Amino acid sequence: MSKKKPERPAPESLGLPCTGVESHAHLDGSEFDADREAVLDRARAAGVAQLGNVFLGPEKWRANRHLFAQRPEVFFLLGIHPCEAQACDDAALAAMRAAFAQDDRLRAVGEIGLDFYWDDCPPDIQRAAFRAQLAMAREVGRPVVIHSRDAFDDTMRVLEEEGFSGYPLLWHCFGGDAAQAARIVAHGWHVSLPGPVSYPANEPLREAARTLPLDRLLLETDCPYLSPVPYRGKRNEPAYMVFTAQAVAQARGMDVAELWTVAGENARRFFGI
């Protein structure tokens, strides 16, 4: 007997207003070379008003920013990922400072932080690159977007030691529990929820979504990764964020359109867009 294919409603079928903000996407990647414009059009049709594209290092920003020259709804983030922390030398930091000085579409330093899941880069090098980019964020006066995988306590320790409590900061792709979320918001920071909040086994993340203060909550895809149900296993794209919103709204007992709009307003305020 053949396995029944899951039903996959079109994102626009949720009928959400065009008030959402995709806070973290990797649309300059090769995964989108064949249909990038169509992906952006589908996002708009689904209710995504603005999108944040993350450039992983100054060379990616320099090489790929032209891809969005005709798409004013796209704003930019720039940072060196912890798995590539060896590249965070004086020249790279200088290049990033120059980029922030000349490109007003660059709205945040990120994603930066610590990643102890992969062994691509020694922890000490990651910590040094993290601290250097935090200092740069202060210099250029931009918010910070954090990547932290299997490194929650270490990431918190660095941020606390660097005096970032109260600084505009977004914990990207949050996958922890309610206790970790509470520690983040206690510092005045924001949390961005990704597609895995919709996975049936991920009740701890839904509990975190229930307990987050509504004014600290943002949404993202981290596309092309982490597609929500019902598109789990497929390439992710910004339009699918509506299903993440649906899962969060259900967890909180809210109307999805209200959650969508509030999360969008939180993102616009955080990034200054």
Side-chain angles (χ1 to χ4, degrees):
M1 183 179 293
S2 62
K3 189 175 181 180
K4 185 179 179 182
K5 291 185 177 180
E7 292 186 14
R8 293 195 172 101
E12 64 269 23
S13 68
L14 271 65
L16 296 182
C18 197
T19 54
V21 176
E22 153 73 290
S23 68
H24 200 104
H26 296 276
L27 292 174
D28 61 315
S30 60
E31 298 89 348
F32 296 101
D33 283 350
D35 64 344
R36 187 172 290 105
E37 291 299 315
V39 165
L40 289 165
D41 289 342
R42 288 195 290 271
R44 172 67 60 149
V48 178
Q50 285 105 14
L51 308 89
N53 188 76
V54 182
F55 293 109
L56 297 177
E59 293 182 4
K60 291 287 182 65
W61 167 78
R62 193 162 34 245
N64 294 334
R65 59 183 169 145
H66 73 279
L67 297 171
F68 309 103
Q70 304 304 316
R71 307 299 302 225
E73 72 270 28
V74 181
F75 61 96
F76 300 157
L77 297 77
L78 171 61
I80 296 175
H81 190 281
C83 290
E84 299 173 349
Q86 296 99 328
C88 188
D89 55 17
D90 289 344
L93 290 165
M96 287 194 287
R97 289 187 193 95
F100 279 100
Q102 75 177 82
D103 189 348
D104 61 6
R105 293 176 77 173
L106 282 168
R107 305 310 303 168
V109 174
E111 56 189 285
I112 65 173
L114 301 173
D115 191 315
F116 298 159
Y117 177 83
W118 302 106
D119 58 3
D120 297 5
C121 183
D124 287 349
I125 294 177
Q126 290 190 39
R127 292 187 187 98
F130 187 19
R131 291 180 192 274
Q133 291 183 92
L134 289 172
M136 187 198 69
R138 284 194 187 278
E139 290 178 36
V140 300
R142 294 295 197 282
V144 168
V145 174
I146 295 297
H147 172 106
S148 181
R149 189 173 187 188
D150 288 0
F152 181 83
D153 289 336
D154 289 80
T155 304
M156 293 292 290
R157 187 176 303 112
V158 170
L159 291 168
E160 289 166 356
E161 289 174 356
E162 294 297 322
F164 267 71
S165 185
Y167 191 90
L169 184 147
L170 175 63
W171 204 281
H172 137 72
C173 203
F174 180 74
D177 57 23
Q180 290 177 331
R183 285 185 63 187
I184 292 169
V185 301
H187 285 282
W189 301 332
H190 292 70
V191 173
S192 183
L193 296 174
V197 73
S198 68
Y199 299 172
N202 215 342
E203 184 55 32
L205 184 53
R206 281 188 291 279
E207 177 61 23
R210 276 190 284 274
T211 60
L212 276 171
L214 189 56
D215 63 350
R216 306 288 182 84
L217 191 159
L218 280 71
L219 299 170
E220 67 171 90
T221 61
D222 199 20
C223 65
Y225 316 108
L226 301 177
S227 294
V229 175
Y231 285 85
R232 187 176 184 180
K234 300 292 185 181
R235 181 197 69 173
N236 204 0
E237 63 176 76
Y240 298 164
M241 195 175 72
V242 300
F243 301 109
T244 301
Q246 186 177 52
V248 174
Q250 289 174 347
R252 295 181 67 100
M254 287 181 64
D255 175 72
V256 63
E258 180 187 1
L259 184 282
W260 179 253
T261 297
V262 170
E265 287 302 319
N266 293 341
R268 277 182 279 273
R269 187 168 58 251
F270 179 83
F271 290 108
I273 55 174

